[in-house]
Amino acid sequence: MFCIMLGVCISAYAELSVKQPCSDGMVLQQNTEATVWGHASAGARITVCPSWSKTKYKTEADENGVWTVKVSTPSASYTCHSIKITGDRQKLVISDVLIGEVWFAGGQSNMQMPVRGFHNCPCEGYMDIVCQAPARDRIRMYTEPTTQSYEPVSDGKGFWRKADCNSVADMSATAYFFAREMNKMLEVPIGIVANPYGGSRVESWLPKATLEAFGTEDLSPAAIDRRTAWERPYLMYNAMLNPLKGYTIKGFIWYQGCSNVGKHDEFVEHMTEMIRQWRSDFSDEAAALPFYMVEIAPYQYSSDPESPYSALLRQAQHEVAATVANCGIIVTNDLVYDYELRNIHPCRKQPVGERLARLALNRDYGMASIFCQYPHALKAYVENGRIFVEFDNCPEGIGRIDGIRTLEVRFGDGQWSEVTSCNFNVGERRMELITDLPSSGGKLQVRYGWGDFRPGNLFNNQGLPFVPFCICEE
C-alpha cells in the first residue's frame, strides 16, 4: 500500500525541465540579467543556482507550469559553467554554459543558407572554413527548425551546436561569419540564436493582430493556405519567434527582402513595425536593441532590364535604416559575380557577415576606427556645364576614378548614358562625372547600381561600397 501511495504522490508532479534556448551548451549574455526558464507543475517552487555566483534565485511556476528567472551574469570568458535547478522534488543541471555576447539572426533563405550551401548555390570557401581549427567555445549557434503554426507555440525545438568541422557546415553562413569576426575582435564567446525561414516575407514575422490592423492581408485560413508555403503571413512568427521571445540577447542581424520585392510601398511601414515588435518581444526598453539589416543583393527578378522594383525595395530598406532609431544596414551591391545573374543565393557570405559584425563593433562596442558608414548620394546638379554628384561618407576620397560600372546619366526622358570615369577631390564631397552628354533637354538624372542586376564597383577609401541610387536634379 505504501508503494502505491508513493507512486500516486510522485505522479502529481510534472517533469522539471528547461525551455529552449536554455539547454546544455548555451551562451548567456554577459553583464546583464539573463533569462533562464523552463517547465514544472503549476505553482511549483523553483530554485535556480548558477555555478559562477552560488546565488539562489527563487520563483514559482505559473498556472501553465512555466517558470522564469533573471540571473545576474558575470563578464564574458571561456570558462564553462553550470546552472543547477531544483523544484517539484526533482533537480536538473544545465551544463557547459558560456558567458559571452548573444545575437539573434533572422530573415529568409540568404540568412538560412548554411556554410555547406544550397543545391547549385555554393558558399565560397567552404572547405577552408570547415578545415579551420575548432571553435567550440568561441562560436555556438542555436537554430530553430523551420515550421509554421496558426496558433502561438510556446516551446522551441532547436539545440545548440559548437563550431567545429562536423557542425559548422550546417550553421547559417552569414551568422557564422558574423560570429567569427565578432569573436576575433572581442575575444569572447559569441552565441547566435538563428531562426530564418527561406522565402519568408516581413509579414510572416508579424503577429496576426498587427496584420489585421494594417488591413493589407487576407488572413482567412483558406486564403493563407492558397499561398506558397514560405509566403504565408504570421505563421512563422507564431511557430518560430514566439517560443524564443524573451531570451536575453544583445541585438539582431537580419537578411531578408527578396520576397517583398514589388511591395516597396508597404515595406517601410511593415518593417518598421516588425522591428518595434521584435524589440518589445525581447526587451523592456524601447529601441534598446540594435537591429542591423542586409541590403538585398543583385538578382534578375524580372525579364525587363529596366524594372525598378528590386531597386525600390533596396531604397525602402535604406529608408528603414535611416529612420528607425539604433538601426543600420550594410550594402551588398558589389558582392555578386556576373554569373550569379539568376542565383538568388550569392556565394559570398563571408563579407556579408563581416560587414554586419563591423557595423556592430563600431556602434555597440566602441571601435570607432572601424569605418561602417557607406557612401550615400545626396544630390546631383550641373555647374558651369559640368555634372556633379554630392556624397557623404567619403572622408578620404574614393577607390577608383576609371573603369566605373553601372553609373549612368541622362537629361529629361532621354537615353541613359554610361559614365566610366570621374574626378573626386578630397574635401569637396562631390564627384564630377566625365561625360560628353550635352547638358540640355530637361532635368539631370543620375543613377548607380539601379535595377535588378547592376553590380557596381565604387568604394570609398575605407573599402565600403556606394549605396545604389537614382536621383534627380532639384
Side-chain angles (χ1 to χ4, degrees):
M1 176 63 74
F2 174 77
C3 292
I4 295 174
M5 293 300 295
L6 180 60
V8 171
C9 181
I10 291 175
S11 67
Y13 294 92
E15 180 182 0
L16 179 66
S17 63
V18 289
K19 179 178 179 299
Q20 295 289 14
C22 288
S23 59
D24 292 350
M26 72 176 175
V27 182
L28 289 178
Q29 178 63 35
Q30 68 169 325
N31 297 324
T32 190
E33 300 297 308
T35 297
V36 177
W37 52 22
H39 296 281
S41 300
R45 296 179 179 179
I46 306 298
T47 300
V48 177
C49 183
S51 63
W52 59 83
S53 70
K54 305 300 183 183
T55 302
K56 293 183 177 180
Y57 299 87
K58 298 181 183 293
T59 189
E60 290 187 5
D62 64 19
E63 66 274 12
N64 297 314
V66 177
W67 56 265
T68 302
V69 297
K70 293 284 191 177
V71 300
S72 296
T73 56
S75 296
S77 75
Y78 295 112
T79 301
C80 289
H81 299 283
S82 63
I83 302 175
K84 183 185 296 184
I85 303 165
T86 58
D88 258 5
R89 299 184 181 180
Q90 303 166 68
K91 65 180 179 180
L92 60 84
V93 176
I94 307 175
S95 61
D96 195 16
V97 177
L98 290 177
I99 310 298
E101 290 294 300
V102 183
W103 285 76
F104 193 98
Q108 58 183 112
S109 55
N110 271 300
M111 182 63 85
Q112 185 181 1
M113 180 176 171
V115 171
R116 69 168 67 251
F118 291 138
H119 293 303
N120 298 324
C121 301
C123 180
E124 190 172 67
Y126 167 76
M127 288 303 298
D128 291 337
I129 299 160
V130 298
C131 290
Q132 289 175 343
R136 299 183 186 94
D137 293 338
R138 292 180 174 273
I139 300 169
R140 296 184 178 183
M141 191 177 299
Y142 171 94
T143 303
E144 186 65 23
T146 55
T147 185
Q148 302 179 15
S149 175
Y150 278 99
E151 299 299 326
V153 174
S154 60
D155 285 16
K157 302 296 191 293
F159 59 91
W160 287 92
R161 285 190 176 101
K162 306 174 185 179
D164 59 30
C165 67
N166 293 316
S167 63
V168 72
D170 294 314
M171 292 181 175
S172 159
T174 294
Y176 172 76
F177 291 123
F178 169 84
R180 190 176 70 172
E181 188 77 352
M182 296 282 282
N183 173 260
K184 180 179 73 175
M185 297 301 295
L186 298 174
E187 192 56 37
V188 301
I190 304 298
I192 301 291
V193 177
N195 82 333
Y197 193 116
S200 57
R201 301 179 300 139
V202 169
E203 294 76 14
S204 304
W205 298 103
L206 284 166
K208 182 179 181 181
T210 301
L211 295 175
E212 288 173 337
F214 282 140
T216 56
E217 302 274 331
D218 184 345
L219 301 178
S220 66
I224 292 175
D225 288 343
R226 285 194 298 269
R227 281 186 174 273
T228 305
W230 57 80
E231 293 185 327
R232 292 170 178 163
Y234 82 82
L235 303 190
M236 290 73 156
Y237 179 89
N238 281 349
M240 298 176 63
L241 193 285
N242 196 72
L244 306 181
K245 67 182 186 182
Y247 192 73
T248 306
I249 61 174
K250 178 69 173 182
F252 301 95
I253 55 174
W254 175 260
Y255 196 164
Q256 187 275 340
C258 301
S259 293
N260 284 92
V261 168
K263 295 291 185 179
H264 50 274
D265 53 339
E266 301 172 355
F267 183 84
V268 174
E269 183 181 20
H270 290 193
M271 189 69 203
T272 298
E273 174 57 23
M274 198 208 84
I275 295 171
R276 188 209 64 77
Q277 178 69 50
W278 281 32
R279 284 171 168 171
S280 175
D281 286 340
F282 284 86
S283 175
D284 295 331
E285 301 179 48
L289 297 176
F291 197 103
Y292 300 137
M293 304 186 298
V294 180
E295 174 192 273
I296 59 169
Y299 171 75
Q300 184 178 290
Y301 289 92
S302 169
S303 59
D304 178 6
E306 291 298 318
S307 170
Y309 291 122
S310 65
L312 290 169
L313 195 282
R314 293 184 192 99
Q315 186 177 69
Q317 288 180 306
H318 283 273
E319 183 177 343
V320 172
T323 56
V324 175
N326 206 15
C327 187
I329 187 170
I330 66 161
V331 175
T332 61
N333 175 260
D334 61 310
L335 296 182
V336 295
Y337 294 111
D338 288 344
Y339 66 83
E340 292 181 307
L341 174 72
R342 292 181 289 112
N343 186 348
I344 196 69
H345 307 117
C347 67
R348 299 180 66 190
K349 291 295 185 283
Q350 182 170 330
V352 174
E354 290 174 348
R355 287 177 185 179
L356 283 167
R358 292 164 189 172
L359 185 58
L361 290 167
N362 175 285
R363 294 177 57 165
D364 302 294
Y365 298 94
M367 298 187 182
S369 60
I370 297 177
F371 204 79
C372 68
Q373 300 296 320
Y374 292 81
H376 183 81
L378 301 174
K379 61 181 179 179
Y381 55 92
V382 178
E383 184 180 281
N384 297 325
R386 300 156 66 191
I387 300 172
F388 292 93
V389 179
E390 191 171 308
F391 285 89
D392 60 4
N393 301 324
C394 291
E396 297 175 13
I398 61 177
R400 69 167 62 235
I401 57 175
D402 292 302
I404 300 171
R405 296 181 61 187
T406 70
L407 179 62
E408 298 169 296
V409 62
R410 75 176 181 180
F411 287 90
D413 295 326
Q415 294 293 315
W416 288 101
S417 176
E418 186 178 21
V419 177
T420 61
S421 300
C422 73
N423 292 322
F424 195 102
N425 296 320
V426 178
E428 287 191 358
R429 297 179 59 191
R430 67 179 188 173
M431 170 193 300
E432 180 188 358
L433 308 189
I434 307 302
T435 176
D436 295 328
L437 188 68
S439 56
S440 61
K443 285 191 174 183
L444 167 69
Q445 296 178 70
V446 183
R447 69 183 187 182
Y448 169 75
W450 190 260
D452 278 352
F453 194 87
R454 295 178 183 270
N457 59 357
L458 275 175
F459 302 83
N460 63 15
N461 257 30
Q462 287 72 32
L464 295 183
F466 278 48
V467 176
F469 65 88
C470 183
I471 54 177
C472 183
E473 183 180 21
E474 295 178 359

